[in-house]
Amino acid sequence: MPTQLRRRSGKVVLVTLSAPLALALLLTASGAASAQTPVAATELRREAEQLRSQRRFPEALAAYRATTAAATAADQPADFEDRFWIAKLESWTGALDSAEQHLVQLLAERPDDYDSQIALADVRRWRGDVAGARAVLAMLQQTHPDDPEVASRVAALRSAGQGPRWEAGLEYAGERYPGGAASDGATIGLRALGRHRFRWGAAVTVQDKFDRTETRGGGDVGLHVSRALELTGTAYVAPNAEVLPRGTFGMGLTALAARGLLLSADYRHDAYADAQVHGVGPSLEWYTGPWLLAARYRYTATRFDGVSGTAGDHAGLGSVGYQYGLANIVRVFGFVGGESFGEPSRDRIGSTDGRGAGLAWRQFVSPVMGFEAVYAFDDRTGIGTRHSFGVRLVRRW
């Protein structure tokens, strides 16, 4: 008897068809495709399935999309199965937002489709939407109480909710100036993870710059006053410092304005040995599929000791990032204006003309081990081109 391949949570199940049913399916397929290139449509689907079996997911996704496009061009409804695999492959290739939208549409047509429900639970869990994933799995537990696929995802969600509680980081940062001047520093930090309403982090930096070795310590806190609103605070001190600010104090507000869109505003005061710098400005981050777009504007007002009047500077930064996996991202960024967006330092104030660009990469080699690397250069009037670079190792537990 002829057989047909069916899906079930990534598994392939052989379903035996009777001869009359197989004949009916063949007649239906040939009749539906006769309006436009039936052989091409069949070949596209066969190619998509083959590419998927070979784990060539981006190519398989393109083939499934071509199959549904061919059906649309022939005034035929796109096959439910083809659309399911488009959503599934989108989730496997990082397009989580699009995958969720397509799965929601499929479930609007077939609310009890098991595989679409499982896929939607996976996508929401990968996006960090624990409540959304839990809601889908709760419905599946009612309809499939003994299903091992559902049970394994419930357990994974429970484990994810009890993920790493701490993160330790060790960072090296260096700068090179025209004429051979150099700066080197190391930072060790500890951050609390997994807190729903309150988070905090602490760090200590030792820096050698301009023939001075200085130490700076402090931390930051964040309080979620609601699901869409977080208040933040920052405080660092460096006693008797000449290059680093002796005190840094700041506060900020971050709001989830729309799906994938974060709006922030912050104020920071850097108190140097001979200057007071006040900075304020808004920023935004927009997560759209695997892409992250960010922009930031900052106005700073600087008053030097013994000098009347205040110098005002404007600065802007823009970046584009590509996210892959669950926590990995590559970003390119550029900035212009009177303030570098790196760590505060005495040589970074008092200049009104500068521009620069850089590249950053964050990669987790396991769920608990990762690193970040960054390089940037900036050209400032009277200083020349400065090169900045750093690498940070992260360990979670």
Side-chain angles (χ1 to χ4, degrees):
M1 302 174 73
T3 59
Q4 181 187 19
L5 290 176
R6 295 188 62 191
R7 56 178 166 80
R8 185 171 175 84
S9 301
K11 300 186 181 73
V12 175
V13 181
L14 289 177
V15 180
T16 303
L17 304 177
S18 65
L21 179 55
L23 179 58
L25 288 174
L26 289 172
L27 290 174
T28 301
S30 61
S34 61
Q36 183 175 349
T37 60
V39 175
T42 302
E43 288 299 323
L44 279 172
R45 184 172 291 107
R46 182 181 297 113
E47 178 185 6
E49 292 172 352
Q50 182 177 5
L51 291 169
R52 176 165 55 84
S53 68
Q54 295 171 353
R55 304 184 67 81
R56 296 162 62 180
F57 298 142
E59 297 168 85
L61 176 58
Y64 275 112
R65 284 173 173 165
T67 303
T68 60
T72 301
D75 293 328
Q76 299 292 334
D79 184 77
F80 188 93
E81 189 82 4
D82 294 337
R83 292 160 55 207
F84 167 82
W85 281 112
I86 287 175
K88 190 79 169 176
L89 289 164
E90 283 177 336
S91 72
W92 289 347
T93 55
L96 298 180
D97 285 347
S98 179
E100 180 171 356
Q101 292 174 7
H102 287 146
L103 289 167
V104 169
Q105 292 172 0
L106 292 172
L107 286 169
E109 299 174 23
R110 300 183 186 178
D112 298 326
D113 187 72
Y114 171 89
D115 293 296
S116 297
Q117 289 176 310
I118 285 285
L120 181 59
D122 287 340
V123 167
R124 288 180 173 175
R125 178 165 58 92
W126 296 337
R127 292 182 67 243
D129 183 4
V130 175
R134 186 178 290 121
V136 176
L137 291 171
M139 291 188 294
L140 281 167
Q141 283 181 303
Q142 294 178 1
T143 56
H144 300 78
D146 300 320
D147 191 289
E149 298 285 347
V150 177
S152 66
R153 282 162 173 80
V154 170
L157 196 63
R158 188 179 301 114
S159 298
Q162 302 171 352
R165 297 177 57 85
W166 304 95
E167 176 183 284
L170 177 62
E171 179 180 4
Y172 162 78
E175 296 178 328
R176 298 297 180 264
Y177 294 80
S183 168
D184 298 283
T187 300
I188 184 170
L190 178 66
R191 185 169 298 279
L193 303 175
R195 274 59 174 179
H196 296 292
R197 296 187 61 86
F198 180 76
R199 63 174 178 83
W200 63 268
V204 175
T205 297
V206 178
Q207 176 182 272
D208 182 71
K209 188 172 186 177
F210 303 143
D211 297 323
R212 288 186 59 86
T213 299
E214 298 178 344
T215 302
R216 178 175 185 249
D220 59 86
V221 296
L223 175 64
H224 284 275
V225 295
S226 71
R227 182 179 179 183
L229 191 64
E230 182 185 34
L231 302 177
T232 60
T234 303
Y236 285 90
V237 295
N240 302 315
E242 298 292 335
V243 179
L244 292 169
R246 295 183 176 182
T248 294
F249 309 98
M251 62 185 67
L253 177 68
T254 299
L256 179 63
R259 184 172 180 176
L261 178 63
L262 294 175
L263 299 180
S264 303
D266 72 291
Y267 162 80
R268 191 179 80 190
H269 174 211
D270 293 318
Y272 292 90
D274 63 345
Q276 303 294 319
V277 181
H278 301 269
V280 63
S283 63
L284 67 85
E285 294 182 354
W286 182 30
Y287 296 84
T288 171
W291 296 97
L292 166 62
L293 307 178
R296 182 180 180 187
Y297 165 77
R298 195 157 191 83
Y299 173 78
T300 55
T302 304
R303 180 185 290 273
F304 293 96
D305 293 351
V307 178
S308 61
T310 300
D313 288 325
H314 303 270
L317 177 146
S319 69
V320 178
Y322 180 78
Q323 303 176 97
Y324 60 99
L326 298 181
N328 309 317
I329 186 171
V330 176
R331 293 186 299 118
V332 293
F333 56 88
F335 51 89
V336 295
E339 181 195 359
S340 171
F341 286 88
E343 289 297 316
S345 181
R346 177 61 180 79
D347 60 296
R348 289 192 169 99
I349 63 175
S351 172
T352 60
D353 183 21
R355 64 197 63 195
L359 173 69
W361 176 32
R362 182 179 69 197
Q363 173 73 46
F364 273 83
V365 297
S366 77
V368 297
M369 288 289 293
F371 68 87
E372 296 178 272
V374 62
Y375 165 78
F377 71 90
D378 60 310
D379 189 6
R380 295 193 171 274
T381 302
I383 298 177
T385 301
R386 172 177 53 204
H387 300 271
S388 305
F389 46 88
V391 62
R392 178 170 179 259
L393 303 179
V394 174
R395 176 68 167 88
R396 293 175 174 175
W397 70 95

